[in-house]
Every structure is written in structure tokens, then in C-alpha cells.
């Protein structure tokens, strides 16, 4: 009897199983690299997550992406790398020597997108990061790792910015939300990690005229693709990095870990996902 080996497959585990662009991204890479493999969405409620992860390989998966509300539980149930530990949340699971490992790819997604969109951005000595939630932790970690001298961290709830500064050390400086304008003139990089500007959320009100002329502006929000912040930055002739670029770049490492080839973020892939976002 000949046994037929099933092609490797990964999944996205979330609850509820919201519409995600990840299958579009991974199917594009599988197709263009000629790899027989799969990527599916798995809706798993919180009380079933532990069991699902323990049986991940028995279910035929070589790994997974993890999204809300499971990212902290994924960290606890696996052997995390330094990045997942620093962020306090894992978004990618894979097997290494039979052991379930985890990482957080938002850090490299953010940094690699900046490198692609605004080479030289890291000449900035001062960065201003807006927001102190989960995504902000990845951004702040990435900026410190890259050697940015001062990361000014402004958040509506100042205590959350303070807690993050306590964790990440002396290069992070908490800033009150109403003091943002004081920091803008020396910010070589401005990053929005809040949900402001997102479809259905209030706009982010900030006077970009105060930024220096060489500043780079990044927004993590990607629905809409062109946020009012990015539109205003482009209007001032500043370099920008958008949230879709980060989303695409953060997907690279998971694919490589599961399927063994490092994929490229191509203009064709971007156009494919952009078209899907326009359906929103
Ligand atoms: P989160 O943990 O819920 O944090 C939300 C942040 O937004 C907090 O700092 C919160 O401030 C702030 N905020 C919310 N409403 C606000 C308001 N009305 N005024 C001022 N600040 C407000 O969310 P997250 O996971 O960090 O995600 C944040 C954004 O990043 C979302 O839009 C998400 O889609 C996006 N994101 C994009 C990518 C990508 O690949 N492009 C990856 C991850 C996240 P308080 O602390 O005061 O509540």
C-alpha cells in the first residue's frame, strides 16, 4: 500500500473568525513559488484554544498565525523567542525539533516596511510613537533594537505609556497626549499605532506642519489604506510607510518557517491585497 503524503498546511487561529487578508497573502506565495501547501482560517473560541494548539500537528498543521484574542495564550503555551517575550504576545507558531515555538513578526513587519518605503529613516535620533497598546510594544521594541536614541511615547492613558517605558528602559520617554505638539518639531519619525483614523473611528488630529522637513510618517492602520494622516504627510512632501506594507512584511517569516522558502513582498501581491481592501 502506498501512503499519500498530505501537503503542509498552516492556519490562522482567531475568534470570531473575522475576514482576514492572510489567506490571500499566503496563497499568492504558495502559487507563485510553486509550493504544494495550504492556509486556512480556523475559528477557535478561547476555551478551546489550548486543546487546539496541543493537537495542532495532529490536525495536520505545520504551524499557525494567531490573532485576537489568543495572542497571549499562544505565548504561554509555546516556547517563545525574545521578540514574542518582549511584546508579551505571539502571532506565529511553528515546530522546531518537535517543540512548538512562537515569535512576534509585527516587529520585523514594521521595520522591514520602513526600510522598503523610506530608506535612511533610521537617521532619526528622535521618534514619536502614538499609542501604547499591543502594536506599540512591537514598534517600540523594533525602534530600540535598531538603535533609535529617543523614543517619545504618547498615549491617551499616560499610565500605559509609563508602564511601557518602565519595561523598555531609559530610551523610552512617556509623553502626555496633550503635549504631542511639543515633541513634533524634533521627531524624525512619527508613528501612529492607535486605532485613530481607522474606518469607523475618529480621525487622528495632529498638525504635521510642526514636523521637520526630513521626517518620515508611518501609520499602522490599513483600513482605509490611505489614512488622513498619510494623506496629510504626502501633502507636505514627507516620506510615508503604510499599514498594508507592514501587514505584508510581517507575513514573510511565518511562511518561511512553515514552507521553507523566504517569499518576497512584490508589487503584484500588494495590488492583490489592495483590491481586496477596496471591497470594504
Ligand atoms: P490596542 O492594544 O487596543 O491599542 C489601541 C491604542 O489606541 C491604545 O494606545 C489606545 O489608547 C489608543 N486609542 C484608542 N482610541 C483612542 C482615542 N479615541 N484617542 C486616543 N487614543 C486612542 O490595539 P493594537 O492591537 O495596538 O492596534 C492598534 C492599531 O494598529 C489598530 O488599528 C490595528 O489594526 C493596527 N495594527 C496594524 C498592524 C499591521 O500589520 N499594519 C499590526 C498590528 C496592529 P488608550 O491606552 O488610552 O486606550
Amino acid at each position: 500500500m502506498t501512503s499519500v503524503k498530505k501537503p503542509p498546511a498552516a492556519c490562522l487561529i482567531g475568534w470570531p473568525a473575522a475576514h482576514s487578508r492572510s489567506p490571500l497573502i499566503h496563497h499568492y506565495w504558495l502559487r507563485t513559488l510553486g509550493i504544494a501547501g495550504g492556509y486556512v482560517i480556523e475559528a477557535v473560541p478561547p476555551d478551546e484554544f489550548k486543546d487546539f494548539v496541543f493537537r495542532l500537528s495532529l490536525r495536520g498543521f505545520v504551524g499557525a498565525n494567531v490573532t485576537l484574542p489568543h495572542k497571549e495564550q499562544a505565548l504561554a503555551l509555546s516556547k517563545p523567542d525574545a521578540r514574542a517575550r518582549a511584546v508579551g504576545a505571539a502571532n506565529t507558531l511553528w515546530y522546531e525539533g518537535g517543540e512548538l515555538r512562537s515569535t512576534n513578526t509585527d516587529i520585523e513587519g514594521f521595520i522591514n516596511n520602513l526600510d522598503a518605503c523610506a530608506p535612511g529613516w533610521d537617521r532619526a535620533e528622535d521618534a514619536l510613537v502614538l499609542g501604547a497598546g499591543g502594536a506599540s510594544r512591537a514598534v517600540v521594541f523594533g525602534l530600540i533594537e535598531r538603535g533609535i536614541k529617543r523614543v517619545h511615547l504618547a498615549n491617551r492613558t499616560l499610565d500605559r505609556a509609563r508602564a511601557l517605558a518602565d519595561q523598555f528602559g531609559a530610551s523610552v520617554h512617556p509623553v502626555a497626549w496633550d503635549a504631542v505638539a511639543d515633541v513634533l518639531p524634533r521627531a524624525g519619525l512619527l508613528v501612529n499605532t492607535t486605532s485613530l483614523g481607522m474606518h469607523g473611528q475618529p480621525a487622528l488630529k495632529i498638525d504635521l506642519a510642526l514636523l521637520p522637513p526630513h521626517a518620515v510618517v508611518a501609520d499602522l492602520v490599513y483600513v482605509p489604506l490611505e489614512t488622513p494622516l498619510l494623506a496629510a504627510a504626502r501633502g507636505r512632501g514627507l516620506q510615508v510607510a503604510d499599514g498594508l506594507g507592514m501587514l505584508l512584511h510581517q507575513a514573510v517569516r511565518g511562511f518561511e518557517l512553515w514552507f521553507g522558502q523566504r517569499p518576497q513582498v512584490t508589487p503584484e501581491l500588494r495590488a492583490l491585497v489592495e483590491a481586496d481592501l477596496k471591497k470594504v
Side-chain angles (χ1 to χ4, degrees), residues 10 23 36 67 91-92 141 153 158 199 236:
T67 188
N91 69 356
T92 303
F141 182 90
L153 184 60
L158 184 56
H199 191 71
R236 247 210 75 184

Side-chain angles (χ1 to χ4, degrees), residues 23 28 52-53 61-62 78 92 100 102 105 136 138 142 182 220 228 245 278:
Y28 168 83
F52 190 93
V53 166
F61 292 116
V62 292
S78 59
T92 303
L100 188 65
S102 65
T105 61
S136 172
D182 301 339
L220 268 58
K278 284 186 186 135

